[in-house]
Amino acid sequence: MRKLKNIMVTGGSGFVGTNFIRYIFDKTDFDGIIVNVDKLTYAGNPHNLIDIEKKFGTKRYFFKKVDICDYKNINKIFKQYNVDTIVHFAAESHVDRSIFGPRDFIETNIIGTFNLLELTREFWAGKEDVLFHHISTDEVYGSLGKNGYFSETTPYNPNSPYSASKASSDHLVRAYFQTYGIPVTLSNCSNNYGPYQFPEKLIPLMMLNMLEEKPLPVYGDGKNIRDWLFVDDHISAVWTILNKGKAGETYNIGGENEWENIKLVNVLCEKMALLTGKEKDYYKKLIEFVKDRPGHDRRYAINCDKIKNEIGWKQSVSFDEGLERTVQWYLINKLWAANIKNGSYRKWIDVNYNKRNISLQ
Ligand code: NAD
Ligand code: TDX
């Protein structure tokens, strides 16, 4: 077991990062510090962690509004907190946005990752008990036909600017291990769902549209397949890798839970109907097939035998339970979504973070 002390989490105010930080403080015996470095793009919402900030702030949880491309300020954080572990979530993460505007994806996902790696080269030369864990996606492998699974040895074949930028960052991380001996681990995970997911992604977008009785846009013929994993199971996998993963190794993480989009949307309609007191098929009438996403990968499916067999991880939340918990969370937290939809979360960030120039504190 690795001893983790001073963890820098990048992108900790986004969907998976928020759940990761909450999980570490709530469900593990970690007793070190976490520095959350986040630029607070449209996808970052530090209000997600306000209770953690109140409970652990000034002693064990620190937030820095800093761009991972900003060498000077990241350098300062490295020194100030004597960082020994990086868990690198920060990224532009939405495929549709990467199609309409790829530049930010290249800058954050590639240059930002490079920047962090350069700092590890400087600070960690010759050090033991340090680790750079890079969070990546199954999309780097491209698209599957009807059969087969992605494994850690599947050749990279990315199809969107998003997946190409993530693939590029994966290669850089691997190269820093091979060339400079920086201890790195990588994980490539399938589609996550759960609380705090920005409502541009399929599951929250559909749920919120249902509540507003808006159309549910299903791309193309709706038969594209994704492998869904409850976000806490992604996190427990990352936690397992941080503690037991072998430097230089990649671990694939998946739900072993494949769904055609249209079938998933139908099930979601039924869950929402049940939990909002409507009749079973009430929301299905809102489904609309719309123009397909360009370069839309047909099928993703992960073989995650390696992480199961070598370091002992497994999924613990069934799809039925995970979906129920997710729907419940969005129903209870209607204000969270409303604040995103009407933009007031940006105003709150402006007053509480931007004006305080948090990066210099
Ligand atoms: P997200 O878009 O919800 O959050 C991204 C976070 O990164 C935000 O808080 C944002 O402010 C921050 N960020 C963006 N650019 C930054 C920069 N230049 N400097 C500092 N911070 C910056 O994304 P997510 O869904 O939480 O995904 C997190 C990571 O997990 C990504 O690397 C993504 O590729 C990977 N991943 C996600 C999924 C999924 O289904 N969500 C699946 C597999 C892998
Ligand atoms: O409105 C929609 N209608 C629709 O049919 C949206 C937003 C999506 N879709 C389809 C496209 C995909 O086949 O649903 C599927 C899931 O779409 P997204 O939620 O956009 O996820 P995806 O493109 O699969 O990528 C996600 O999983 C892997 C994350 O956004 C990535 O960050 C992660 O790497």
Side-chain angles (χ1 to χ4, degrees):
M1 288 284 267
R2 202 170 270 121
K3 177 72 190 148
L4 307 162
K5 292 192 290 274
N6 305 327
I7 305 182
M8 178 194 282
V9 175
T10 70
S13 303
F15 162 50
V16 190
T18 288
N19 281 290
F20 176 80
I21 292 172
R22 302 189 75 81
Y23 181 98
I24 291 216
F25 282 119
D26 290 348
K27 298 196 182 145
T28 73
D29 56 6
F30 174 72
D31 59 2
I33 64 160
I34 290 188
V35 194
N36 173 12
V37 175
D38 197 301
K39 179 184 173 182
L40 300 185
T41 67
Y42 78 95
N45 187 353
H47 196 270
N48 296 346
L49 291 164
I50 197 80
D51 52 333
I52 299 281
E53 195 164 333
K54 281 197 184 124
K55 191 163 169 201
F56 298 102
T58 75
K59 287 204 170 64
R60 294 189 53 215
Y61 175 74
F62 305 91
F63 175 78
K64 301 283 167 184
K65 182 181 178 298
V66 172
D67 186 334
I68 54 166
C69 300
D70 174 350
Y71 186 89
K72 206 173 113 223
N73 271 313
I74 302 273
N75 186 327
K76 245 166 86 177
I77 296 168
F78 241 89
K79 282 194 193 145
Q80 187 180 353
Y81 294 97
N82 194 18
V83 170
D84 56 55
T85 308
I86 298 179
V87 188
H88 178 31
F89 292 102
E92 287 294 335
S93 70
H94 191 38
V95 175
D96 291 331
R97 284 180 194 257
S98 83
I99 295 167
F100 297 112
R103 184 170 299 278
D104 287 348
F105 289 73
I106 304 307
E107 280 168 4
T108 289
N109 300 1
I110 305 178
I111 310 286
T113 302
F114 162 72
N115 202 31
L116 295 173
L117 286 166
E118 275 294 273
L119 280 155
T120 63
R121 191 153 78 92
E122 202 169 302
F123 283 103
W124 289 354
K127 271 203 176 172
E128 285 178 4
D129 285 334
V130 290
L131 184 71
F132 184 109
H133 181 67
H134 180 61
I135 308 288
S136 193
T137 167
D138 57 358
E139 305 201 11
V140 298
Y141 299 120
S143 186
L144 290 165
K146 281 203 166 60
N147 302 310
Y149 297 91
F150 297 134
S151 78
E152 289 79 0
T153 54
T154 303
Y156 275 34
N157 193 18
N159 291 317
S160 70
Y162 164 69
S163 53
S165 67
K166 291 297 289 187
S168 174
S169 64
D170 291 11
H171 290 316
L172 280 168
V173 172
R174 216 186 134 267
Y176 270 65
F177 173 73
Q178 295 293 342
T179 306
Y180 305 112
I182 304 294
V184 306
T185 42
L186 296 92
S187 53
N188 294 78
C189 187
S190 64
N191 286 59
N192 288 204
Y193 67 100
Y196 301 102
Q197 187 164 32
F198 198 82
E200 61 188 352
K201 308 281 167 39
L202 181 73
I203 289 181
L205 178 110
M206 293 293 170
M207 283 190 293
L208 298 185
N209 281 13
M210 284 178 219
L211 291 175
E212 293 179 31
E213 310 242 348
K214 284 188 178 161
L216 310 177
V218 174
Y219 298 162
D221 63 4
K223 295 200 167 147
N224 300 66
I225 291 174
R226 297 291 180 268
D227 170 2
W228 293 94
L229 180 72
F230 189 64
V231 64
D232 277 6
D233 276 337
H234 182 185
I235 284 155
S236 68
V238 170
W239 188 243
T240 307
I241 297 168
L242 292 176
N243 283 289
K244 296 196 243 165
K246 192 167 161 228
E249 294 294 318
T250 290
Y251 299 91
N252 279 356
I253 307 164
E256 300 178 297
N257 176 40
E258 292 181 50
W259 284 83
E260 275 183 358
N261 291 336
I262 185 61
K263 289 198 177 139
L264 168 50
V265 172
N266 272 295
V267 167
L268 198 53
C269 285
E270 288 174 17
K271 269 269 186 255
M272 280 286 286
L274 187 71
L275 293 170
T276 56
K278 307 272 192 221
E279 50 103 2
K280 192 176 168 207
D281 293 334
Y282 183 81
Y283 292 114
K284 292 182 186 169
K285 62 177 186 287
L286 298 171
I287 294 175
E288 269 183 26
F289 289 92
V290 299
K291 196 166 169 283
D292 208 355
R293 171 187 278 176
H296 195 178
D297 288 332
R298 194 65 173 166
R299 174 171 168 254
Y300 301 145
I302 283 272
N303 173 325
C304 45
D305 288 351
K306 178 173 169 179
I307 186 168
K308 287 183 162 176
N309 297 337
E310 292 188 8
I311 52 175
W313 169 81
K314 64 175 183 338
Q315 307 90 344
S316 66
V317 181
S318 72
F319 194 49
D320 190 52
E321 183 197 335
L323 218 46
E324 179 124 354
R325 279 164 66 176
T326 305
V327 173
Q328 295 275 22
W329 189 87
Y330 279 86
L331 289 175
I332 292 165
N333 292 281
K334 280 191 184 141
L335 194 59
W336 180 89
N339 284 338
I340 287 180
K341 289 210 147 187
N342 66 26
S344 56
Y345 80 116
R346 297 312 305 178
K347 287 188 200 118
W348 185 86
I349 289 172
D350 229 24
V351 172
N352 289 285
Y353 291 86
N354 295 348
K355 298 221 166 87
R356 273 163 54 202
N357 204 353
I358 232 85
S359 64
L360 302 177
Q361 290 178 357

